[in-house]
């Protein structure tokens, strides 16, 4: 069996972090500051969760409207 070269594996890449900061003030005393750091995978996860919540809310509203129409017709 011939000696085949062993492929050199690349070191694992660190995930890219997306960072954001925001601050808002109300008058002279009230101030709020927020910061977030999220990876690209985290952004995709949040997008999937938000879209599933919106889709399920649309189904609930549609079903509730159908029930309300049926109740009024009786």
């Amino acid at each position: 069996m011939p000696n085949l070269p062993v492929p050199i594996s690349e070191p694992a890449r660190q995930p890219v972090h997306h960072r954001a900061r925001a601050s808002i003030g109300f008058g002279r005393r009230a101030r709020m500051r927020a910061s977030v750091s999220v990876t690209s995978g985290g952004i995709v996860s949040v997008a999937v969760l938000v879209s599933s919540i919106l889709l399920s809310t649309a189904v609930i509203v549609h079903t509730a409207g159908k029930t309300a129409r049926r109740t009024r017709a009786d």
Side-chain angles (χ1 to χ4, degrees), residues 8-14:
I8 299 174
S9 62
E10 295 182 20
R13 294 188 343 175
Q14 296 295 321

Side-chain angles (χ1 to χ4, degrees), residues 38-52:
V38 66
T39 62
S40 297
I43 291 174
V44 172
S45 298
V46 169
V48 168
L49 285 171
V50 168
S51 62
S52 65

Side-chain angles (χ1 to χ4, degrees), residues 3-65:
N3 285 337
L4 297 175
V6 178
I8 299 174
S9 62
E10 295 182 20
R13 294 188 343 175
Q14 296 295 321
V16 176
H17 287 269
H18 306 278
R19 292 178 176 84
R21 288 186 197 163
S23 64
I24 187 168
F26 303 101
R28 293 180 179 216
R29 292 185 175 184
R31 173 167 284 190
M32 182 171 45
R33 293 180 184 167
S35 63
V36 66
S37 175
V38 66
T39 62
S40 297
I43 291 174
V44 172
S45 298
V46 169
V48 168
L49 285 171
V50 168
S51 62
S52 65
I53 289 169
L54 292 175
L55 288 172
S56 63
T57 303
V59 171
I60 291 170
V61 169
H62 179 72
T63 305

